[in-house]
C-alpha cells in the first residue's frame, strides 16, 4: 500500500508540472499573436518550466492504458537470461536512470570514453514514447581502432512490473559500418520465483539490421556476435556484483 501511495504521489507531481507547462504555453501562444515571436517565448518556457524526473516519467507511462505487449526476443540470439534478487522497478532504475552508476562502472571496465547521455524525453504528441540518445567512443580492439557510436534508446513497454527498452546502435566508423546497425532489446520482468520479496527476470537479445546488401554479411554477423558476447560477459559479471543471481 505504501509503495502504491508513493507511485500515486510521484504521478500526481508529474501531472501537475505538465498542466502548469500547458497553461504557460497557452499564455505564450496568446502573446505570440501580438508579437509574432512564438519561438522565442517557447524557448523561454522550455528553459523555465519544471520537467518530470525519471521516476515521475516512468510512473506517468505506467499509468497509460492500451500499452504495447512485451516484444518478442530479437532473432540474433540471447546475450543475458538471468533471474536477479531485485524488484523489476528497482532494476529498471538501476540500469536506465540518468547518470546510472552501473553504466559509469561498465564504461570504465570496457574502456569506453567520451560518454554523453542525452535526457530522457517524452514525445509531446505521444507520451507513451520515451527516448534518449547516448554517444560514446568504444575502446580499440586488436582488429578495430577506437570508434564513435550513437545509441538511440526507446522504451517499448512500461508497467509497474515490466519494462522493455530497444537500443538502436550506429557505428559508421567500423569497417562497413555504414551498411548495418545493431539492435539490442532489454526486457525486465517479474522473476516468477519466490525469494524473499522480489525477483526479476532480465533478458537481453540482439539483432543486426542491414541497411545495404553486402556479400560480407556473414563475416559482419560473426564479428558483431563475438563482440556482443565479450561485452555482455563483462556486463553480467558486473551486474552480479550488485545483485544476487538465482
Amino acid at each position: 500500500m505504501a509503495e502504491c501511495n508513493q507511485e500515486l504521489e510521484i504521478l500526481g507531481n508529474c501531472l501537475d508540472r505538465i498542466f502548469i507547462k500547458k497553461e504557460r504555453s497557452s499564455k505564450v501562444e496568446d502573446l505570440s499573436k501580438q508579437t509574432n515571436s512564438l519561438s522565442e517565448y517557447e524557448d523561454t518556457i522550455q528553459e523555465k518550466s519544471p520537467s518530470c524526473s525519471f521516476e515521475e516519467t516512468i510512473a506517468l507511462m505506467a499509468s497509460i492504458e492500451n500499452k504495447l505487449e512485451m516484444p518478442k526476443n530479437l532473432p540474433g540470439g540471447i546475450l543475458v537470461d538471468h533471474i536477479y534478487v531485485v524488484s523489476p522497478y528497482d532494476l529498471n532504475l538501476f540500469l536506465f536512470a540518468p547518470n546510472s552508476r552501473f553504466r559509469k562502472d561498465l564504461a570504465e571496465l570496457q574502456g569506453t570514453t567520451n560518454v554523453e547521455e542525452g535526457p530522457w524525453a517524452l514525445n509531446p504528441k505521444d507520451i507513451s514514447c520515451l527516448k534518449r540518445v547516448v554517444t560514446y567512443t568504444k575502446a580499440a580492439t586488436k582488429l578495430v581502432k577506437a570508434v564513435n557510436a550513437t545509441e538511440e534508446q526507446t522504451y517499448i513497454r512500461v508497467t509497474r512490473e515490466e519494462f522493455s527498452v530497444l537500443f538502436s546502435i550506429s557505428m559508421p566508423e567500423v569497417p562497413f559500418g555504414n551498411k548495418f546497425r545493431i539492435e539490442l532489446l532489454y526486457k525486465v520482468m517479474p522473476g516468477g520465483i519466490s525469494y524473499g520479496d522480489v525477483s526479476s527476470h532480465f533478458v537481453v537479445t540482439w539483432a543486426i539490421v542491414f541497411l545495404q546488401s553486402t556479400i560480407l554479411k556473414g563475416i559482419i554477423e560473426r564479428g558483431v556476435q563475438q563482440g556482443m558476447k565479450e561485452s555482455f560477459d563483462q556486463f553480467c559479471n558486473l551486474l552480479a556484483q550488485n545483485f544476487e543471481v538465482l
Side-chain angles (χ1 to χ4, degrees), residues 61 118-123 129-133 152-155:
M61 294 184 67
W120 285 108
L122 288 169
N123 185 329
C129 182
L130 180 64
K131 291 186 177 183
R132 72 173 175 181
V133 174
E152 183 179 273
Q153 304 172 4
T154 306
Y155 269 91

Side-chain angles (χ1 to χ4, degrees), residues 26-56:
S26 178
K27 294 178 181 178
V28 167
E29 290 175 1
D30 292 339
L31 289 171
S32 69
K33 294 177 182 178
Q34 302 174 22
T35 63
N36 294 320
S37 57
L38 176 61
S39 61
E40 295 179 6
Y41 285 107
E42 286 181 335
D43 291 342
T44 301
I45 290 298
Q46 187 68 29
E47 291 174 1
K48 294 185 178 180
S49 295
S51 59
C52 296
S53 69
F54 181 70
E55 292 86 346
E56 290 170 336

Side-chain angles (χ1 to χ4, degrees), residues 56-105:
E56 290 170 336
T57 304
I58 290 296
L60 176 61
M61 294 184 67
S63 71
I64 299 172
E65 298 181 357
N66 301 320
K67 300 179 180 65
L68 294 174
E69 295 298 319
M70 182 64 77
K72 295 181 179 179
N73 291 345
L74 297 180
I78 295 174
L79 297 167
V80 182
D81 188 0
H82 296 304
I83 295 176
Y84 295 90
V85 183
V86 58
S87 73
Y89 179 83
D90 287 337
L91 182 56
N92 175 65
L93 291 184
F94 184 80
L95 293 172
F96 300 116
N99 299 312
S100 160
R101 181 72 256 173
F102 174 78
R103 290 286 175 182
K104 292 179 180 179
D105 291 343

Side-chain angles (χ1 to χ4, degrees), residues 9-25:
E9 182 179 355
I10 291 174
L11 176 58
N13 291 338
C14 187
L15 290 174
D16 286 344
R17 292 177 182 179
I18 289 175
F19 287 136
I20 289 172
K21 185 173 182 178
K22 285 184 177 179
E23 182 179 350
R24 291 181 177 177
S25 296

